[in-house]
């Protein structure tokens, strides 16, 4: 027996020995960690801190060379010339002591050269493929000049259209923003970060920035933890799960703590709960701005609070380089903290393959490739929202022989691109006027009279020309909206009516009695109730980008059929804000039968109007609800069935329904699934979007559609701050928008 044991033991030892000398297939991540640690061990404290420093490119290469040679710069933003980028990289790689490559960054928010609809427009498509494709095109174009990091997607849930940055996000809904944001991350980063066309994504602005009080940018927010976790954090968690390589801190102080110094969100949530191992970068000077906030007394305290809270890299305010060496020596910042920050930075640089391939091919030509323009056109088509179409004035048919094209947005190539465009060129924008002339110039008489020179123009002297053109036309196409500068960062408005004399223009041409199609291009929902009343049809395009014109021509003449839905609620008037669909019910919900201002009797009794939550001058409902949009055809929902009406917490609910195209055009419906948790340990929204799907049907076609909804997705952060599903009664809607449909009840049991 002993012999057998000896042989078996020897054999086992031999096997082990063989195994250990056979090269284990290298785990790429483990290999990167080894390289990071090896490099880190060679770095001086100053070189480590240099990696944590990001500057915005300026002047000549020589101006930055000394800093790069010293190892004082880890990343540069706003350099887009491939020759300069290679020159800067050569200095870093060949002339600095350790040759660590730079990470070149840019705000590539909705396209680099080929400009896609602004993100709010992409969200209106409810099509994650549109978001992914747009990000992929942006990555291919941006990486071709050497950019490997974009500060996008912006996934701040925003419910206040006074806030100019509502343009940059995916609207008011947590679920829609989560789906679209994760798709953008996938598009930017591709299948692997070390693919040379991959650029590191940067979900921003972490977190709660969209809740700026009063919709005034940079203003304080007051979001309690439960609302933060139920509404504002989930899109960022989805982006982290999608593998986002970096995160950016937001400007706002939430409940008195600026995000750039907020340990709870940067360490407890992002690192410990979500396991994020990428780079946390500040927003532009948001570290130093903690002094303006009154959260740090000086740059030394800025650097200490930011680094100890979990920031890895400082954008442009330079306090890390200036103050961290002293803070480490004084023991106010541990060198281990610095090491972890630098690990995160080096890890992403290795994952991007920058150490192996720091340079870019300076002769690569990919800009405005036909495939890119096609993707942008498709995105613009899918982002268009048909808000009104009476008497089926759209699509325009062969009876139309003369078209009046009016309004300041009909031929505004720069404005059409929208906010956050640094590298797109207006010379490549195809405007509606240009597209209509190109597609129909030989068949139609096109009378072009803008009437106003730009959206804020108050000079009404040319409106008469627009009226004259309108009176000679079979249909009026009025292109109004906002110049690009009127939305985006720091561009907030207290009044959301059409700017300038645009409303007068619409009123004037409407008086001709000709069919009036109003097309709005804007960066936010506008209070267009009056203009909608005056128009026979209204098509809304959140700044549609380079190919907005051809998309609109396709839509207006029926080559494409509108399918977009509102990603954000349209208020009747600015006083209704905040107004959004996933609101709480309150103890006195509006009945929507309230007596409104003009109907109130004189000397009406004090309690005669009832005591419910509404506005006497605006009622309760918005102008257009979330998820709303028409088509040239119509759809019927029927036969809605649940796989069960009593479910356990680990069950999956299957909802099936029939959708029929009951009209005359092939069209795409965005069917939506909403759920209400009727009673919770805390109050719950009256409904929340849980699924959506784009379904294309031919006229008369009927399809059975199903949604799979794990009961676990009904979890929320409850009274005990636990993320749980609570047993009880639920309602469910399958509907074309957030206000339609009838509830179907089901139970969840323990
Ligand atoms: C800006 C913006 C941020 C942007 C950054 C770099 O202030 O807040 O979204 O990415 O600075 O341009």
């Amino acid at each position: 027996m002993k012999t057998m044991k000896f042989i078996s033991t020897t054999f086992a030892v031999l096997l082990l020995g063989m195994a250990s000398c056979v090269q284990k297939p290298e785990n790429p991540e483990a290999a990167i960690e080894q390289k990071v640690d090896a490099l880190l061990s060679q770095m001086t404290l100053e070189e480590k801190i240099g990696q944590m420093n990001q500057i915005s490119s300026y002047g000549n290469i020589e101006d930055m060379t000394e800093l790069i040679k010293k190892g004082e710069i880890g990343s540069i933003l706003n350099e887009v010339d491939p020759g300069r980028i290679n020159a800067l990289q050569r200095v870093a790689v060949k002339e600095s002591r350790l040759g660590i490559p730079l990470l070149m960054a840019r705000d590539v928010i909705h396209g680099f050269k080929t400009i896609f609809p602004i993100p709010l427009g992409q969200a209106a498509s409810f099509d994650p493929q549109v978001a992914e494709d747009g990000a992929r095109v942006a990555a291919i174009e941006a990486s071709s000049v050497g950019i490997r990091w974009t500060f996008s997607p912006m996934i701040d849930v925003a419910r206040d259209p006074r806030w100019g940055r509502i343009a940059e996000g995916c609207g008011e809904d947590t679920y829609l923003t989560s789906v679209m944001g994760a798709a953008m991350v996938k598009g930017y980063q591709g299948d692997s970060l070390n693919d040379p066309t991959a650029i590191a994504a940067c979900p921003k602005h972490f977190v709660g920035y969209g809740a700026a009080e009063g919709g005034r940018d940079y203003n304080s927010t007051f979001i309690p933890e439960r609302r933060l976790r139920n509404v504002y954090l989930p899109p960022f968690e989805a982006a982290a799960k999608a593998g986002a390589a970096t995160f950016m801190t937001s400007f706002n102080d939430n409940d008195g703590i600026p995000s750039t110094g907020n340990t709870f969100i940067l360490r407890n949530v992002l690192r410990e709960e979500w396991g994020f191992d990428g780079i946390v970068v500040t927003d532009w000077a948001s570290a130093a701005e903690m002094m303006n906030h009154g959260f740090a007394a000086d740059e030394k305290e800025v650097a200490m609070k930011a680094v100890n809270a979990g920031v890895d890299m400082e954008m442009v305010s330079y306090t890390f380089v200036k103050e961290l060496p002293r803070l480490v020596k004084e023991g106010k910042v541990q060198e281990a903290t610095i090491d972890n920050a630098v690990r995160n930075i080096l890890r992403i640089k290795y994952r991007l393959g920058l150490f192996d391939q720091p340079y870019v091919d300076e002769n690569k030509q990919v800009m405005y490739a036909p495939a890119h323009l096609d993707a942008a056109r498709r995105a613009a088509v899918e982002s268009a929202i048909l808000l009104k179409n009476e008497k089926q004035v759209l699509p325009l048919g062969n009876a139309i022989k003369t078209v009046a094209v009016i309004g300041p947005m009909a031929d505004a190539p720069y404005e059409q691109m929208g906010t956050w465009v640094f590298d797109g060129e207006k010379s490549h924008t195809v405007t509606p006027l240009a597209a209509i002339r190109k597609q129909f110039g030989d068949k139609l008489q096109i009378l072009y009279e803008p009437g106003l020179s730009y959206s804020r123009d108050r000079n009404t002297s040319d409106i008469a020309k627009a009226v004259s053109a309108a009176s000679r036309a079979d249909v009026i196409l009025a292109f109004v909206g906002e110049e690009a500068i009127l939305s985006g960062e720091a561009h907030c408005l207290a009044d959301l009516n059409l700017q300038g004399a645009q409303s007068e223009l619409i009123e004037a041409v409407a008086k001709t009695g000709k069919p009036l199609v109003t097309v709005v291009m804007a960066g936010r929902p506008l209070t267009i109730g009056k203009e909608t009343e005056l128009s026979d049809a209204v098509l809304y395009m959140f700044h549609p980008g380079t190919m907005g014109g051809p998309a609109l021509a396709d839509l207006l003449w029926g080559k494409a059929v509108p399918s977009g839905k509102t990603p954000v609620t349209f208020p009747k008037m600015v006083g209704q804000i905040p107004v959004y669909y996933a609101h709480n019910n309150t103890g006195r919900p509006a009945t929507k039968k309230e007596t409104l201002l003009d109907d109130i009797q004189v000397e009406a009794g004090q309690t005669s109007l009832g005591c419910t939550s509404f506005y006497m001058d605006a009622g309760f409902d918005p102008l257009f609800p979330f998820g709303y949009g028409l088509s040239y055809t119509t759809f019927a929902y029927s036969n809605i069935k649940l796989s069960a009406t009593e479910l356990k917490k680990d069950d999956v609910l299957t909802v099936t329904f029939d959708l029929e195209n009951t009209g005359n055009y092939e069209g795409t419906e965005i069917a939506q699934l909403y759920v209400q948790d009727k009673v919770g340990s805390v109050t719950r929204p009256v409904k929340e979007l849980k699924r959506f799907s784009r379904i294309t049907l031919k006229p008369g076609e009927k399809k059975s559609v199903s949604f799979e909804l794990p009961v676990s997705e009904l979890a929320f952060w409850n009274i005990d701050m636990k993320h749980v599903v609570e047993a009880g009664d639920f309602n469910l809607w399958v509907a074309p928008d957030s206000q339609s449909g009838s509830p179907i009840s089901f139970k969840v049991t323990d």
Side-chain angles (χ1 to χ4, degrees):
M1 273 303 281
K2 268 192 181 157
T3 314
M4 279 307 290
K5 191 164 181 300
F6 170 74
I7 289 170
S8 63
T9 309
T10 311
F11 187 61
V13 168
L14 268 177
L15 266 183
L16 266 179
M18 281 169 65
S20 63
C21 72
V22 168
Q23 270 303 324
K24 291 189 189 64
E26 190 175 72
N27 166 350
E29 280 310 307
I32 285 176
E33 290 310 307
Q34 285 169 0
K35 289 175 186 170
V36 166
D37 286 339
L39 180 52
L40 190 67
S41 65
Q42 301 168 56
M43 295 172 76
T44 65
L45 177 62
E46 283 65 24
E47 286 167 335
K48 293 174 186 175
I49 293 167
Q51 286 300 306
M52 300 167 71
N53 184 37
Q54 179 183 66
I55 65 167
S56 184
S57 179
Y58 58 87
N60 304 317
I61 301 296
E62 296 65 42
D63 299 340
M64 296 179 272
T65 295
E66 282 321 301
L67 298 177
I68 297 170
K69 276 182 184 171
K70 274 165 56 182
E72 198 170 293
I73 298 176
S75 171
I76 297 179
L77 73 143
N78 295 333
E79 181 54 68
V80 293
D81 175 275
R84 283 170 56 96
I85 286 177
N86 279 341
L88 291 163
Q89 282 293 19
R90 263 190 293 278
V91 174
V93 172
K94 297 187 180 316
E95 299 182 50
S96 74
R97 190 176 76 88
L98 292 167
I100 300 172
L102 298 162
L103 182 46
M104 307 307 278
R106 181 70 160 178
D107 288 285
V108 185
I109 307 301
H110 52 108
F112 184 65
K113 289 290 185 182
T114 303
I115 302 302
F116 282 69
I118 58 174
L120 192 57
Q122 294 182 42
S125 74
F126 283 69
D127 188 346
Q129 197 57 56
V130 155
E132 183 179 338
D133 292 349
R136 187 85 296 267
V137 166
I140 290 167
E141 293 190 351
S143 60
S144 77
V145 300
I147 299 296
R148 297 300 307 277
W149 185 10
T150 179
F151 300 130
S152 177
M154 192 276 217
I155 48 177
D156 298 303
V157 169
R159 297 169 166 178
D160 190 332
R162 292 173 293 181
W163 190 50
R165 303 199 77 165
I166 197 169
E168 302 170 45
C170 299
E172 74 181 54
D173 183 66
T174 299
Y175 178 71
L176 176 61
T177 301
S178 300
V179 171
M180 300 301 275
M184 289 174 187
V185 168
K186 188 157 176 276
Y188 288 129
Q189 299 189 169
D191 296 330
S192 166
L193 269 183
N194 70 10
D195 180 310
T197 67
I199 60 178
C202 185
K204 70 183 185 184
H205 304 81
F206 196 60
V207 66
Y209 182 31
E213 194 172 54
R216 183 163 45 82
D217 205 359
Y218 314 118
N219 204 1
S220 300
T221 60
F222 301 92
I223 313 168
E225 182 183 345
R226 184 174 295 107
R227 191 167 179 78
L228 206 56
R229 289 183 176 280
N230 283 325
V231 176
Y232 295 95
L233 283 170
F236 288 94
E237 185 174 11
K241 282 190 176 138
T246 74
F247 267 60
M248 180 186 289
T249 64
S250 59
F251 285 122
N252 57 299
D253 58 318
N254 186 46
D255 194 17
I257 305 172
S259 298
T260 306
N262 188 329
T263 307
F264 170 67
I265 60 171
L266 298 182
R267 289 200 189 284
N268 303 50
V269 175
L270 185 56
R271 301 283 182 189
E272 289 156 26
E273 290 182 27
W274 298 351
F276 175 67
D277 69 355
I279 300 171
V280 171
V281 65
T282 73
D283 200 338
W284 185 283
S286 65
E289 287 173 6
M290 290 197 286
M291 290 186 283
N292 298 342
H293 277 289
F295 187 72
D298 52 31
E299 291 191 336
K300 187 177 175 188
E301 194 175 16
V302 163
M304 182 183 73
K305 285 198 166 183
V307 167
N308 285 339
V311 170
D312 300 320
M313 188 181 281
E314 179 184 22
M315 187 185 291
V316 306
S317 46
Y318 241 94
T319 67
F320 287 12
V321 167
K322 278 189 233 168
E323 301 295 348
L324 283 179
R326 183 161 46 135
L327 285 162
V328 170
K329 286 186 181 59
E330 292 172 4
K332 291 178 179 164
V333 171
Q334 299 305 309
E335 185 154 4
T337 304
I338 302 284
D339 289 350
N340 283 333
V342 178
R343 271 197 193 88
N344 295 330
I345 294 166
L346 296 178
R347 181 178 301 120
I348 298 304
K349 290 187 174 184
Y350 273 111
R351 285 180 181 165
L352 284 164
L354 288 174
F355 286 86
D356 299 329
Q357 181 40 283
Y359 306 113
V360 67
D361 172 356
E362 294 177 33
N363 303 310
K364 201 166 182 185
Q365 293 305 324
V366 296
M367 308 307 181
Y368 303 113
H372 298 177
L373 295 175
D374 288 346
R377 181 175 184 156
R378 176 186 154 213
V381 164
E382 290 196 20
S383 70
I385 306 166
L386 183 62
L387 295 174
K388 182 180 181 182
N389 188 24
E390 274 177 9
K391 300 181 289 228
Q392 283 289 322
V393 68
L394 290 177
L396 302 176
N398 299 329
I400 302 295
K401 301 302 178 198
T402 303
V403 175
V405 175
I406 68 157
M409 298 299 286
D411 196 35
Y414 178 82
E415 313 307 349
Q416 183 174 311
M417 293 193 287
T419 186
W420 277 103
V421 170
F422 290 116
D423 305 293
E425 295 149 300
K426 69 175 189 176
S427 56
H428 285 264
T429 302
V430 185
T431 65
L433 178 67
I436 292 168
R437 281 176 169 162
K438 182 174 181 204
Q439 288 195 35
F440 304 101
D442 55 347
K443 302 191 243 333
L444 296 177
Q445 188 184 9
I446 299 164
L447 308 173
Y448 172 54
E449 284 296 348
L452 299 167
S453 305
Y454 56 100
S455 70
R456 288 166 294 138
D457 191 359
R458 296 186 185 287
N459 177 352
T460 57
S461 58
D462 282 350
I463 287 183
K465 290 179 187 170
V467 172
S468 164
S471 57
R472 286 176 281 134
D474 301 319
V475 68
I476 308 161
L477 301 180
F479 295 86
V480 294
E482 290 183 312
E483 293 151 82
I485 194 66
L486 299 180
S487 61
E489 183 172 354
H491 303 160
C492 301
L493 291 169
D495 181 337
L496 300 182
N497 291 330
L498 283 172
Q499 295 289 334
Q502 296 185 99
S503 201
E504 290 85 332
L505 173 65
I506 295 286
E507 274 182 295
V509 296
K511 285 184 181 134
T512 66
K514 294 297 180 72
L516 171 57
V517 176
T518 296
V519 179
V520 184
M521 284 195 216
R524 55 162 59 84
L526 296 172
T527 45
I528 53 166
K530 186 172 73 172
E531 295 79 12
T532 300
E533 276 296 307
L534 292 168
S535 305
D536 298 292
V538 177
L539 198 57
Y540 214 92
M541 301 280 279
F542 295 109
H543 289 125
T546 304
M547 297 302 280
L552 273 164
D554 290 348
L555 290 159
L556 291 169
W557 270 271
K559 284 186 188 171
V561 177
S563 59
K565 301 266 186 179
T566 49
V568 61
T569 299
F570 279 56
K572 287 191 190 103
M573 53 176 78
V574 83
Q576 279 188 308
I577 294 168
V579 55
Y580 52 95
Y581 86 90
H583 60 80
N584 287 352
N585 203 31
T586 77
R588 294 191 174 182
T591 63
K592 305 188 185 180
K593 299 186 181 71
E594 283 83 5
T595 306
L596 299 186
L597 206 61
D598 296 346
D599 303 327
I600 297 172
Q601 300 299 316
V602 173
E603 294 187 9
Q606 185 54 43
T607 58
S608 64
L609 301 182
C611 299
T612 56
S613 180
F614 78 111
Y615 296 96
M616 294 190 292
D617 53 355
F620 179 84
D621 284 337
L623 181 63
F624 298 108
F626 172 85
Y628 176 84
L630 301 173
S631 172
Y632 293 153
T633 190
T634 50
F635 296 98
Y637 290 72
S638 62
N639 200 18
I640 301 172
K641 289 192 175 7
L642 277 57
S643 54
T645 52
E646 200 160 303
L647 299 112
K648 297 284 187 193
K649 294 179 182 179
D650 55 0
D651 283 344
V652 174
L653 172 63
T654 301
V655 183
T656 56
F657 62 98
D658 291 340
L659 187 70
E660 182 176 4
N661 181 335
T662 50
N664 306 315
Y665 293 91
E666 178 171 321
T668 299
E669 170 69 332
I670 297 168
Q672 299 151 53
L673 172 69
Y674 294 91
V675 175
Q676 176 191 23
D677 185 347
K678 291 181 73 177
V679 178
S681 58
V682 293
T683 54
R684 306 283 297 119
V686 294
K687 58 173 70 171
E688 294 175 291
L689 181 70
K690 291 294 181 185
R691 287 290 182 274
F692 57 83
S693 177
R694 290 175 59 89
I695 302 131
T696 301
L697 297 171
K698 293 185 174 18
E701 187 181 359
K702 187 176 194 175
K703 205 180 261 183
S704 175
V705 185
S706 70
F707 288 128
E708 300 281 309
L709 179 64
V711 172
S712 58
E713 288 190 29
L714 303 181
F716 68 101
W717 292 84
N718 74 350
I719 191 76
D720 301 320
M721 206 56 80
K722 300 287 182 222
H723 191 236
V724 295
V725 176
E726 291 183 349
D729 294 321
F730 289 77
N731 277 329
L732 168 150
W733 292 260
V734 174
D737 61 61
S738 59
Q739 268 190 339
S740 302
S742 306
I744 299 174
S745 57
F746 66 95
K747 274 184 186 309
V748 172
T749 58
D750 279 320

